[in-house]
Amino acid sequence: QLAESGGGSVPAGGSLRLSCATSRVGYSYGGHCMAWFRRVGGAEREGVANIDNARRPMYADSVKGRFTISRDEAVTTLDLQMNGLKPEDTAVYICAARKCATRYCPCTFESNFEYWGEGTQVTVNS
């Protein structure tokens, strides 16, 4: 339902910008909660960053200060700017979104996301 782009292979210390097309999510009176996750092989999915309906970001400790999540006002694109990449950032990155029924809408990695992408591979070479 969502489509990620921007993955690739970069050397350690490099940068990538991921984008997720979110226009299919549609309008919601309460706004949206959106997030980026990542998964390595068969391991459990890990939350990377999320952004709530007031556009406040939250980051996993492992990426704080290096990654920036953002979305446009029209809710058509969710981005993840990744700087200072490390080999341990290598993973499939997946975007997710949910509609908020009301303006009060806690946004966490445990939120019940309704929309998911299939993921884009990011490889960081040492």
Side-chain angles (χ1 to χ4, degrees):
Q1 293 170 312
L2 305 180
E4 302 93 342
S5 61
S9 181
V10 295
S15 299
L16 278 175
R17 187 176 185 87
L18 305 183
S19 289
C20 175
T22 59
S23 59
R24 295 189 69 176
V25 176
Y27 170 81
S28 174
Y29 171 78
H32 303 81
C33 162
M34 297 185 176
W36 284 96
F37 293 83
R38 64 188 181 187
R39 184 178 62 237
V40 179
E44 199 166 319
R45 196 166 48 211
E46 171 194 20
V48 174
N50 64 53
I51 186 165
D52 69 6
N53 56 355
R55 298 165 83 176
R56 291 173 296 212
M58 189 175 76
Y59 300 94
D61 288 343
S62 58
V63 306
K64 273 181 188 173
R66 300 188 297 123
F67 291 12
T68 302
I69 188 172
S70 62
R71 65 172 176 82
D72 64 335
E73 188 68 31
V75 196
T76 58
T77 306
L78 174 71
D79 292 333
L80 185 68
Q81 177 66 42
M82 305 186 294
N83 299 327
L85 283 162
K86 305 175 181 179
E88 52 263 43
D89 294 319
T90 295
V92 174
Y93 283 73
I94 305 159
C95 60
R98 63 170 285 226
K99 294 181 177 181
C100 296
T102 66
R103 297 299 172 95
Y104 175 70
C105 184
C107 187
T108 71
F109 296 128
E110 290 73 36
S111 295
N112 186 22
F113 292 98
E114 307 156 89
Y115 303 87
W116 292 90
E118 293 188 352
T120 184
Q121 176 69 45
V122 171
T123 301
V124 184
N125 303 303
S126 57

